[in-house]
Amino acid sequence: MRNALSLTILCFTIFLSCKGPEARRPINKQSGVYVDNSIKRNKKLIALEEQDIQKHIEKNASQEYIASPNGFWYTFVKKDSTQLVTPQVGDLVSFNYDVKTLAGTSILTTEEVGNQVYQIDQSNQDLISGLREGLKLMKPGEVVTFLLPSYQAYGYYGIDGKIGSNVIIKTTVTLNEIKNKNEDN
């Protein structure tokens, strides 16, 4: 009986001592303060950039700028009302553009950039988001000037040796040709 009681206690002790793995807790808990501060800083930056763009638009009252739902402004330098076609997803577009600061200082010339070919929304080409969205608004032969806040342009990184971080740009784009994705080569 004594052995049975000892065996029962031993089994009961072993049973109670076995418990599942316990998750390790982090040593340092992140409070999200850095992210919150970054959000506040970026909202202030966007507001300041939008004020600068509005001032530029007011100075150039002879040009009618249109606010895009994507966060940039544009004006037609040359508009073609006879064309009906705008680029659609998968279409190949051929275009030229230049890049200037909002004050008009040249950063990249049309010659430096050269003729560009881009497949709408399906290309891995390194093209700033403002141009990707802006091309969709254009028709062949049109020339459009875009005012792009830094987050739609080169953002925090800029262009090494050419443009610093968080710079508003002004770019004039000429859409040369749209090649429909369904056309045979």
Side-chain angles (χ1 to χ4, degrees):
M1 172 89 175
R2 197 171 181 195
N3 285 340
L5 183 61
S6 295
L7 186 60
T8 305
I9 291 173
L10 180 66
C11 288
F12 188 69
T13 305
I14 292 172
F15 178 74
L16 288 178
S17 66
C18 295
K19 63 180 186 178
E22 193 171 310
R24 296 186 315 172
R25 303 285 176 229
I27 296 170
N28 295 327
K29 293 184 181 180
Q30 296 293 332
S31 64
V33 173
Y34 175 78
V35 174
D36 292 341
N37 288 339
S38 178
I39 290 169
K40 288 177 188 174
R41 190 173 47 250
N42 286 331
K43 284 182 178 182
K44 285 180 187 176
L45 176 66
I46 290 169
L48 289 173
E49 288 182 0
E50 286 179 356
Q51 286 176 359
D52 290 345
I53 290 172
Q54 289 302 325
K55 288 177 186 174
H56 179 80
I57 290 171
E58 289 169 9
K59 284 181 188 175
N60 297 298
S62 63
Q63 297 172 326
E64 181 187 342
Y65 280 92
I66 302 164
S68 160
N70 296 312
F72 58 84
W73 291 258
Y74 62 98
T75 185
F76 287 93
V77 176
K78 179 182 173 191
K79 188 169 183 163
D80 188 353
S81 58
T82 62
Q83 291 281 345
L84 300 175
V85 180
T86 57
Q88 302 301 313
V89 175
D91 290 350
L92 281 174
V93 294
S94 168
F95 65 99
N96 300 49
Y97 69 99
D98 64 3
V99 178
K100 298 177 182 174
T101 63
L102 198 56
T105 306
S106 182
I107 298 168
L108 294 171
T109 64
T110 306
E111 291 76 26
E112 287 177 297
V113 174
N115 190 44
Q116 299 287 308
V117 177
Y118 172 71
Q119 188 173 15
I120 300 293
D121 288 345
Q122 293 185 347
S123 179
N124 291 331
Q125 184 175 348
D126 189 22
L127 193 62
I128 58 176
S129 62
L131 280 180
R132 286 195 305 261
E133 296 302 319
L135 285 168
K136 296 176 194 176
L137 303 171
M138 298 178 69
K139 298 173 187 169
E142 289 185 334
V143 180
V144 178
T145 297
F146 296 97
L147 303 178
L148 304 175
S150 65
Y151 70 90
Q152 287 279 326
Y154 297 100
Y156 176 75
Y157 296 104
I159 300 174
D160 193 29
K162 297 231 178 220
I163 187 171
S165 66
N166 300 323
V167 175
I168 302 167
I169 66 163
K170 180 178 182 179
T171 179
T172 302
V173 181
T174 304
L175 183 60
N176 301 320
E177 178 184 23
I178 300 174
K179 216 173 195 187
N180 191 296
K181 64 181 174 185
N182 297 324
E183 288 180 6
D184 293 330
N185 292 337

